[in-house]
């Protein structure tokens, strides 16, 4: 279980949630991924088909009295990804695609969770926070970006938003200079803003009493053609400010480790 990936259809996941006493959560997953126009009969038919698929893989048994038993490791994995103590989510988006992977922490373990083709849930149990950090390094392809240093800089989100789609480097440089960003940092940053490949985020997600997700801690990610940058919100009343950090592997490890505390 620690190294094998579990692959579940959305219907199979919904069936397990029903088994865990969370029928509304199961229905919510079905409608979110398959559409809200599913009839009750269609839902029942899909759940029945998923029970047969789980039986075929040896993960579900039905006794002579009709009692259903689901593999306890499968139940545990589903319970943790739907009711975690907290989660960490890596994501990035381009004009063509959005990619995200979430790590759910609970019951002394961690499950990686991502969707394949928008329908198949992949669950992989991990043994340590170090694995989560290393997978983040792979997720953002830090091996393809060079190490670099730059002067410290803090800027408002408004400034970053004003230049994020600019293609004229002179305009970007001027606005970054007006914002007080040191020359060495703004020269590198301007190049990567102008040639950005994607933007993303790293978010720590907490859950309230009603299991509603919320995030107050995290990092924004900018991937340019040459370098990766991390933008950390400043912990002051001026919550519109971000601290600009070089997205090196060393700094990435430091920042994500802090989010996991």
């Amino acid at each position: 279980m620690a190294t094998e990936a579990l692959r579940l259809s959305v219907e199979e996941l919904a069936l397990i949630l029903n088994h865990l006493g969370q029928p509304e959560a199961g229905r919510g997953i079905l409608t979110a991924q398959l559409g809200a126009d599913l009839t009750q009969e269609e839902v029942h038919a899909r759940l029945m088909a998923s029970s047969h698929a789980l039986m075929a893989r040896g993960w579900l048994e039905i006794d002579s009295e009709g009692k259903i038993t689901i593999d306890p490791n499968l139940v545990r994995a589903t319970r943790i990804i739907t009711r975690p103590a907290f989660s960490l989510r890596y994501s990035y988006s381009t004009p063509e695609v959005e990619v995200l992977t979430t790590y759910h922490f609970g019951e002394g373990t961690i499950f990686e969770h991502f969707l394949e083709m928008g329908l198949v849930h992949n669950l992989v149990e991990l043994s340590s926070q170090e694995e989560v950090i290393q997978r983040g390094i792979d997720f953002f392809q830090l091996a393809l970006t060079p190490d670099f240093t730059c002067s410290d800089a803090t800027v408002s989100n408004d400034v970053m938003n004003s230049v994020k789609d600019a293609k004229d480097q002179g305009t970007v440089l001027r606005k970054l200079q007006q914002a007080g960003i040191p020359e060495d940092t703004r020269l590198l940053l301007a190049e990567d803003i102008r040639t950005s490949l994607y933007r993303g985020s790293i978010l720590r997600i907490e859950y309230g009493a009603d299991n509603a997700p919320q995030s107050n801690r995290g990092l924004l990610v900018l991937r340019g053609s040459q370098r990766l940058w991390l933008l950390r919100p400043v912990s002051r009343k001026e919550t519109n400010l971000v601290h600009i950090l070089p997205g090196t592997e060393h700094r990435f490890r430091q920042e994500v480790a802090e989010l996991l505390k």
Side-chain angles (χ1 to χ4, degrees):
M1 183 70 181
T3 57
E4 293 182 4
L6 293 171
R7 299 178 77 251
L8 298 171
S9 70
V10 59
E11 295 91 346
E12 290 168 342
L13 188 57
L15 177 69
I16 299 168
L17 285 169
N18 280 350
H19 181 72
L20 288 171
Q22 301 178 46
E24 289 303 316
R27 175 74 188 223
I29 286 176
L30 284 174
T31 56
Q33 293 187 234
L34 301 178
D37 56 348
L38 287 174
T39 67
Q40 191 61 39
E41 291 75 18
E42 288 173 322
V43 170
H44 179 73
R46 286 177 177 272
L47 292 181
M48 284 297 296
S50 68
S51 69
H52 297 160
L54 289 174
M55 288 178 65
R57 305 212 297 278
W59 290 345
L60 182 149
E61 295 180 356
I62 301 177
D63 66 17
S64 59
E65 297 178 354
K67 180 182 177 181
I68 293 177
T69 301
I70 298 177
D71 182 277
N73 281 329
L74 193 56
V75 170
R76 181 176 67 105
T78 302
R79 185 171 62 241
I80 291 170
I81 70 166
T82 56
R83 298 279 180 174
F86 73 93
S87 305
L88 187 81
R89 177 172 298 163
Y90 298 133
S91 67
Y92 68 82
S93 60
T94 69
E96 295 78 27
V97 67
E98 181 177 9
V99 183
L100 64 89
T101 300
T102 306
Y103 296 86
H104 300 288
F105 295 71
E107 301 183 24
T109 193
I110 308 162
F111 274 94
E112 180 185 62
H113 179 201
F114 63 92
L115 277 175
E116 183 181 331
M117 298 181 294
L119 292 173
V120 181
H121 293 261
N122 284 262
L123 314 178
V124 181
E125 188 171 6
L126 307 181
S127 60
S128 69
Q129 292 188 359
E130 171 57 30
E131 285 188 82
V132 175
I133 295 172
Q134 183 58 52
R135 288 180 184 235
I137 289 169
D138 296 338
F139 182 88
F140 291 109
Q141 299 180 307
L142 283 174
L144 302 180
T145 62
D147 280 350
F148 69 101
T149 59
C150 62
S151 300
D152 285 350
T154 301
V155 68
S156 74
N157 264 324
D158 293 339
V159 170
M160 295 302 296
N161 287 333
S162 73
V163 299
K164 68 178 183 179
D165 296 319
K167 296 303 179 186
D168 175 60
Q169 192 160 356
T171 299
V172 177
L173 282 169
R174 184 176 66 256
K175 289 189 176 184
L176 296 182
Q177 182 178 15
Q178 291 170 348
I181 297 178
E183 182 178 15
D184 64 324
T185 300
R186 69 174 180 263
L187 287 173
L188 299 178
L189 182 59
E191 179 182 4
D192 287 319
I193 289 174
R194 187 177 60 82
T195 62
S196 65
L197 302 179
Y198 64 71
R199 290 174 175 82
S201 64
I202 305 166
L203 299 177
R204 179 181 171 119
I205 301 168
E206 307 284 353
Y207 299 87
D210 56 355
N211 207 41
Q214 58 185 358
S215 179
N216 297 315
R217 297 171 60 194
L219 300 157
L220 300 177
V221 177
L222 168 66
R223 175 70 162 87
S225 61
Q226 300 298 317
R227 289 161 291 270
L228 185 134
W229 298 82
L230 301 174
L231 308 178
R232 186 210 307 141
V234 175
S235 299
R236 294 207 304 261
K237 290 182 180 179
E238 301 89 341
T239 54
N240 190 40
L241 299 178
V242 291
H243 193 56
I244 298 171
L245 307 169
T248 62
E249 181 175 331
H250 176 71
R251 181 55 70 100
F252 184 93
R253 288 184 180 278
Q254 283 184 322
E255 295 295 322
V256 176
E258 191 65 29
L259 289 176
L260 294 177
K261 290 182 180 178

